[in-house]
Amino acid sequence: MPATVIVGAQWGDEGKGKIVDLLAQDSDLVCRYQGGPNAGHTIVVGEETYKIRALPSGIVRGKPCVIGNGCVVDPEVLIGELDDFERRGHSVDDVHVSGNAHLIMPWHVAIDQASERRLGNLAIGTTRRGIGPCYADKAMRIGIRVQDVLDPKILRQKIEVALAEKNLWLERVYDAEPFDLDTVASQYESYAQRLRPFVTDTSLIVDRALRNGKAVLFEGAQATLLDLDHGTYPFVTSSNPVAANAATGVGIGPQRIDNVIGVAKAYVTRVGEGPFPSEIAGGDQKRMRELGHEYGTVTGRSRRCGWLDLVALRYAVRVNGIDRLALTKLDVLSHFPDLPVCTRYRLRDGAETADFPAHQSDFHAAEPVFETLPGWREPLDGCGSLEDLPGAARRYVEFVERELEVDVTLVGTGADRAAVLSR
Ligand code: GDP
Ligand code: IMO
Ligand code: MG
């Protein structure tokens, strides 16, 4: 397993953190390649629960970790996480942050919040952590990067230049409070003190690891349908979670990536606004939410719940080049007698398709066509292997494999790190 990407195959929260934690056991380096503290990756180890937003999940196994150039870093969140891991007895000495990653500044958060408020009914439902405005400044070439913390004079200068424009924007466009240069500069100078030892050329670290035959994991945040290019735009995040971006997001060539593992729930959830064809109508939505504890890690918002959508998942297999699938939270389905699975969409002209619509109006109007599979009713805690699964649960997994032409090699049967069956 030399270089493996773990990518979300739905709308996020598929259990990527747990799968990364599992595979990190046999890995030498774990890297995040995009996103920021909009991510919330949960790992349950017996009585301990880790909710990780900035660091790669490999930190829980004590593995060397990289935050790649494609990420956006909120220094307050990252420092909070570093401190928390140290307090809990984990070393953070082997954490490396790319100098080319962009810093989330307080105005990014303020603009994210103000712009969502202003959009009203049209809001995207972002996590309000400043992600979009930070990536926008990166693309505008006016961002402040992690390497800027290495030089206090440059850092202050950049903050001053940025504030001259951002304060106008905040006050005149959004009717929001401006920021004070001295306050922000001294706050970021103190973050700089703490972050300086972690800042390095992470592309070089990853390249060396691969050259030396080490196993490297690339941990996606968010997911395929939230991808800026391939997701359900505009209801997406502002980075590219898809697997190919793992190369750009850490600074290696695309041919270095050996495997792509997609992570999908055995059903689907989505936080925030946007179309969601297989969303459950009626009481089962609430039941699914309660049984699966479907509340956001970062914002605490209720996640919308739907039946497994194989049209969307087939699309994720295509755009990521997924060669193996981890199907998580199968245990949650033990409570339903019948399990609808969306195998096609019915379009406005009545035609049915198994391929994800390329045009947003077709997708918005798509009606799910379900095939209903029998449920199993037995809990899955006792299963030690895929062969131990109740017959109907095994057939559910095999149905997914057949429809997608991809092997399901991992199945999640509970939140704990040990509750996973592998093939
Ligand atoms: P991520 O963002 O993709 O890492 O996923 P999250 O951590 O945000 O959400 C997944 C949630 O489901 C977390 O609370 C996990 O502890 C939990 N979880 C992961 N795998 C399983 C599973 O197989 N069964 C159950 N019941 N819970 C799981
Ligand atoms: P993990 O890594 C689920 C969603 C937000 C919103 C949209 C844009 O835990 O799977 P943003 O703050 O990124 O500008 O919000 O994307 N979103 C996520 N949904 N899991 C996530 O991360 C998400 N990160 C962002 O809810 O709809
Ligand atoms: Mg999450």
Side-chain angles (χ1 to χ4, degrees), residues 294-314:
E294 297 297 355
Y295 297 93
T297 315
V298 175
T299 56
R301 289 179 292 175
S302 295
R303 294 174 180 155
R304 299 155 66 193
C305 298
W307 301 112
L308 186 62
D309 181 343
L310 292 179
V311 181
L313 204 47
R314 186 175 292 109

Side-chain angles (χ1 to χ4, degrees), residues 262-277:
V263 187
K265 275 179 186 159
Y267 49 100
V268 188
T269 61
R270 171 164 209 177
V271 216
E273 302 308 317
F276 184 2

Side-chain angles (χ1 to χ4, degrees), residues 116 119-120 122-126 234-237 270-274 301:
E116 283 284 278
L119 280 169
L122 300 174
I124 289 159
T126 73
F235 301 101
V236 294
T237 191
R270 171 164 209 177
V271 216
E273 302 308 317
R301 289 179 292 175

Side-chain angles (χ1 to χ4, degrees), residues 8 11-17 32 34-42 52-53 112 116 124-133 135 219-223 225-226 234-239 269-274 296-299 301 303-304:
W11 274 283
D13 303 324
E14 297 92 347
K16 298 176 288 295
R32 278 274 305 265
Q34 46 69 233
N38 44 349
H41 299 176
T42 314
I52 311 177
R53 295 166 57 194
D112 196 0
E116 283 284 278
I124 289 159
T126 73
T127 59
R128 301 189 173 208
R129 304 297 150 147
I131 307 297
Y135 276 114
E219 174 177 7
Q222 293 76 56
L225 295 162
L226 293 172
F235 301 101
V236 294
T237 191
S238 300
S239 68
T269 61
R270 171 164 209 177
V271 216
E273 302 308 317
T297 315
V298 175
T299 56
R301 289 179 292 175
R303 294 174 180 155
R304 299 155 66 193

Side-chain angles (χ1 to χ4, degrees), residues 78-88 92 194:
L78 176 58
I79 290 167
E81 236 162 57
L82 290 167
D83 290 347
D84 186 47
F85 271 94
E86 282 198 319
R87 255 197 311 274
R88 294 166 85 162
V92 296
R194 176 80 167 105

